[in-house]
Amino acid sequence: MPAPGDLPNSVVIALPRGGVPVAAEVARALGAPLDVLVARKIGLPGRPETGIGAIVGDDPPLFDQRALEMLGLREDRFGPDVARERAELSRRALLYRGDQSAPRVKDRAVVLVDDGLATGVTARAALRHLRRLQPARLVLAVPVCASETADEMRAEADDVVCLHQPTDFRAVGLWYDDFEQVSDDEVIEDLHAHSASMHDS
């Protein structure tokens, strides 16, 4: 992770839900504000946990074109999935952020945090969304990831920090002692707790 002094005027942005507890620790270490960017994975037919695409905000869906070609799938096959995930994205964004405007990103150091990277398609969509907002520096930080995915993310972010890149990666959850699903209530609690600590400091 870049040293705090290397990231002046920074903001830490989590990919909820799993990225929020990790991002809260990063934001605390940097003394930076914490916010969320809601992204939704579009899963493979019959294997929803395997990401083939992702959506962020109002952006069009981003698909892993290489995977689509290998599997003989077309983007238009996922229309119902995209509509369903966009509805869930809107629900979560309203729940987590209410009527608060998105954090200012332009000319700031932005640290995007998730709990880990498998295919990386959700992180890629989020990084491209943030890049269009013209941050001064864009950092992707995760505790664990597939090494090939980390290499691919270096084309999207200015820095990629991945603490553990096991050769037998397989799935993010295998590298956690406790990988229970983070709840909406936990996300909201972490965001409110960090905001309160920033105001008190």
Side-chain angles (χ1 to χ4, degrees):
M1 188 75 206
D6 294 338
L7 294 170
N9 192 28
S10 59
V11 58
V12 175
I13 297 182
L15 288 174
R17 292 182 288 203
V20 174
V22 183
E25 296 298 325
V26 173
R28 189 174 298 116
L30 293 175
L34 171 66
D35 214 310
V36 293
L37 176 62
V38 182
R40 294 295 298 168
K41 177 169 58 182
I42 301 163
L44 273 175
R47 291 173 57 194
E49 288 306 307
T50 302
I52 193 80
I55 54 171
V56 178
D58 295 326
D59 296 356
L62 175 69
F63 285 95
D64 182 334
Q65 295 297 332
R66 186 172 54 188
L68 286 178
E69 288 173 14
M70 286 175 55
L71 295 166
L73 296 171
R74 293 162 45 111
E75 288 186 21
D76 56 15
R77 152 71 178 77
F78 295 91
D81 304 85
V82 171
R84 183 180 65 250
E85 295 301 340
R86 201 171 294 280
E88 178 62 12
L89 185 153
S90 298
R91 182 195 73 83
R92 291 195 187 189
L94 182 61
L95 182 64
Y96 302 156
R97 312 198 76 262
D99 58 1
Q100 289 185 334
S101 58
R104 185 179 61 80
V105 167
K106 185 176 170 63
D107 299 327
R108 299 181 76 176
V110 176
V111 183
L112 179 69
V113 179
D114 202 357
D115 56 5
L117 297 180
T119 66
V121 67
T122 305
R124 182 180 289 111
L127 287 167
R128 290 186 182 181
H129 175 87
L130 290 168
R131 181 68 79 188
R132 285 192 288 273
L133 302 179
Q134 300 179 302
R137 186 172 175 189
L138 185 55
V139 179
L140 174 65
V142 294
V144 62
C145 61
S147 57
E148 180 180 302
T149 302
D151 290 341
E152 291 171 356
M153 291 301 106
R154 290 187 174 92
E156 308 288 347
D158 299 314
D159 295 287
V160 175
V161 180
C162 178
L163 301 182
H164 190 44
Q165 300 182 36
T167 53
D168 55 341
F169 176 80
R170 296 199 302 278
V172 172
L174 296 177
W175 304 97
Y176 279 80
D177 291 331
D178 179 0
F179 202 63
E180 284 294 315
Q181 183 80 262
V182 175
S183 68
D184 286 336
D185 288 343
E186 288 175 280
V187 169
I188 294 165
E189 182 180 330
D190 280 347
L191 292 172
H192 287 172
H194 186 78
S195 178
S197 71
M198 291 289 289
H199 286 132
D200 292 343
S201 61

